[in-house]
Amino acid sequence: MQPIPAIDPRHDVLIVTDVQNDFCPGGALAVADGDAVVPAVNALARRFEHVVVTQDWHPPGHRSFASSHPGRAPFETIELDYGPQTLWPDHCVQGTLGAALHAGLELTRAELLIRKGFRPDIDSYSVFYENDRTSPTGLAGYLRERGFARLFICGLATDYCVAWSALDARRLHFDAVVLLDACRAIDLGGSLERALQAMREAGVTLAQASELR
Ligand code: VGL
Ligand code: ZN
């Protein structure tokens, strides 16, 4: 395996995705062992000069919530105008404690907090585009203007926010490294294995934080 080129503060940025209470044990859409990423993310954040944080941020009654579709249950898939949509329990509702970043995160030095999923009718896993694949969050322009070329991605969940963000990063011609030991997955019906395969095929580097120099 090729070693990962050393961290370069001019071109590298750490992106910490959705480490929020609702994705941690006890939360509305808990990811198994989700809070285990907190110390790993904190250690990473100390090593990068530039850190961006993201937050899933839905209005009440969001269209990705099963509760917005009478007769439907969480984790079923339905067809929406922009394609298949997994229905989730109500989660990360704007302004609630569940939507807050995990209190153990030490991200004082984060330079940007980007929120996604606030359009009532479109879900958003990727930090670059909503799930219609065309409505941008603005992050690509920000990163380009700052001169960042290589993105190190960690957080929750490996098979949704992390994977979709890494795939979009490649589509947008950024280098992308996913730090798997600083991520945890939802793993719904084989979604983790599919996401890992799609990332490999798209040229995303899958690595462990311990491989960083
Ligand atoms: C996410 C499911 C629903 C994520 C967000 O950020 O991975 N997953 N909303
Ligand atoms: Zn969400």
Side-chain angles (χ1 to χ4, degrees):
M1 211 167 58
Q2 292 280 72
I4 298 166
I7 297 171
D8 167 4
R10 281 168 310 166
H11 299 124
D12 291 344
V13 61
L14 180 70
I15 300 182
V16 179
T17 68
D18 299 0
V19 184
Q20 294 166 260
N21 293 326
D22 271 343
F23 294 125
C24 291
L29 179 40
V31 177
D33 212 21
D35 54 350
V37 306
V38 171
V41 167
N42 289 343
L44 281 166
R46 286 193 284 274
R47 303 196 50 192
F48 281 79
E49 204 141 305
H50 306 290
V51 180
V52 168
V53 186
T54 81
Q55 206 171 13
D56 206 36
W57 195 249
H58 300 304
H62 191 260
R63 193 147 75 132
S64 75
F65 297 168
S67 61
S68 303
H69 304 269
R72 298 290 179 166
F75 309 110
E76 287 179 18
T77 300
I78 61 165
E79 205 57 41
L80 293 182
D81 41 1
Y82 56 78
Q85 170 70 50
T86 302
L87 297 177
W88 304 109
D90 292 22
H91 67 279
C92 297
V93 175
Q94 297 173 356
T96 62
L97 186 60
L101 296 175
H102 189 288
L105 287 175
E106 292 159 13
L107 296 173
T108 316
R109 284 175 32 246
E111 294 168 353
L112 177 74
L113 167 62
I114 192 141
R115 289 172 168 167
K116 62 185 182 63
F118 49 77
R119 293 176 176 86
D121 292 324
I122 320 178
D123 203 6
S124 182
Y125 302 145
S126 166
V127 299
F128 291 102
Y129 294 104
E130 309 278 325
N131 285 9
D132 62 0
R133 321 301 297 136
T134 52
S135 303
T137 62
L139 182 61
Y142 173 88
L143 295 174
R144 288 213 181 96
E145 207 163 358
R146 295 286 313 273
F148 298 128
R150 188 167 60 156
L151 319 181
F152 289 79
I153 308 174
C154 61
L156 305 173
T158 321
D159 40 349
Y160 288 93
C161 185
V162 171
W164 287 52
S165 299
L167 293 170
D168 276 345
R170 297 296 300 140
R171 204 154 65 97
L172 293 161
H173 307 294
F174 293 101
D175 288 331
V177 181
V178 167
L179 298 164
L180 289 171
D181 51 347
C183 301
R184 289 296 182 277
I186 294 176
D187 202 11
L188 193 61
S191 58
L192 176 59
E193 202 39 60
R194 281 197 302 278
L196 293 172
Q197 189 55 29
M199 288 193 281
R200 281 187 205 103
E201 283 167 12
V204 176
T205 302
L206 301 179
Q208 308 294 329
S210 58
E211 291 174 55
L212 292 187
R213 289 171 298 136

